[in-house]
Amino acid sequence: MAVIAWATHEDEHYDDFGSALQTLAAIDGGALFLAGLGPSAPWLLGVLRRHTARLPPAIRLAARDVARNCPRTAPPIAITMVMTAFAVTWMIVAVAETAQSRAGYFPQARSGALVVDVQTGDANDAAVARAVIQQELPGVSIAQRDDPAHRGHFSLDVEDVDLPDVESVAPAGFIGDQALLRYLTGDPATPYDEGTAVVVTPNDLKVDTVTLFYSMPTDDDSGKELPSKSIPAIAVKSADPYVNEVFIPTKVIRDLGLRPEPIKLIVDPSAHRTTEAEQERVDQRLGEDMSAYVERGFQEPAAEWMGVVAAAIAVALACALIAGGQAGAGGRTRRVLLRVGAGSPLALRMFAAGRAGWSMLCGTALGTFAGCVIGLLLAWPMTASIEWDVLPRVSFETPWWAIAALATGLPVLAGVIAALPRPRRP
């Protein structure tokens, strides 16, 4: 685990297959580490047994009873250790992955915007989607983004301006009408001209022209320089820090001889912020060919890892209760209970709580230690970047308070559960 953590600690591109193998090897190392700690359970029971002189009589006798019955109590305590280590490891790794995913998240639209993807690029489908939005959200302003890439080649360049990388499947720039420009800037007063491009950016820039490169579907582009056209441009400050785009009026694209096709319909969040219920209604009426989503920023997957941790804790509790019950088996239990309090109900409950709580304490002590070691080492390969655009790792807050609450609260919870049933008098 340490070697793999060191091998993946640099912020660089890692091969996806090789990274998966390294992560699998690190997980196997964690499993071997837990297997090596398994025999430590009887040893820890014996060590703790020698330091119980100052504990209350019922707890002291319960701890000694658990230690005396190691052949029966050690296996379920070892399983408690494994489940606790799994829960702690999952907590640390989940927090690390969440922090890395949050840092690498890039919104697909302005916050609160409803976006409908017209996958077919058909004007009829776009009209149907527009009608659905108008029926569910009457009176809202709908902006349309077009794409000329299906009718030839189109790209753009702005001198001395660093634009976001454009993938081959994505159009270059935002092509549309005045409603789309208002959506990008978030300002209805933004000047609009059918022959002028607008660089919408959070940076302070001065832009005079935008150069468009294009070709017709019938042109042979191989080995030839693409025709180009420069159009006047202005720079406008964007309301959203993530918006760094170039707006091209649709008329400019038509004048080039290209045929723009609708690819997205957008409801401007400045005019209307779509709720989850409205999004669901729109999505249901659109059918399978189109989809709608609302940009709400990064959503933490808290419920997923919390469910896994809860399941591991439940198994750990069950094993601790089993270990506590097995500790009291046999004729020695009768003599112990008589010594504690002549078989009184309180003594019986304290004794049952002590056996389960002590078993849980031994398991969680080893499991918390192992989980912290495994989790902190696994955080490196689990957050290694397999993308070509490498995102530097970000620091994350290790959930020490949650781990401490887990380690101290589980023994108390196990003791409370064990003391709830009415004890039988010996």
Side-chain angles (χ1 to χ4, degrees), residues 265-324:
L265 297 179
I266 306 171
V267 175
D268 193 339
S270 301
H272 178 81
R273 298 188 71 88
T274 307
T275 63
E276 292 186 8
E278 292 172 338
Q279 175 195 352
E280 291 178 359
R281 292 199 302 267
V282 172
D283 205 9
Q284 289 176 357
R285 296 190 56 184
L286 287 175
E288 298 181 356
D289 294 335
M290 293 176 284
S291 61
Y293 71 94
V294 175
E295 178 59 55
R296 295 188 175 91
F298 178 73
Q299 303 294 316
E300 296 188 8
E304 298 178 1
W305 69 266
M306 288 183 65
V308 176
V309 171
I313 291 174
V315 175
L317 275 172
C319 292
L321 294 174
I322 292 173

Side-chain angles (χ1 to χ4, degrees), residues 98-118:
T98 301
Q100 193 68 21
S101 299
R102 184 189 299 108
Y105 178 79
F106 190 84
Q108 301 299 311
R110 282 182 53 196
S111 178
L114 171 68
V115 181
V116 175
D117 289 322
V118 185

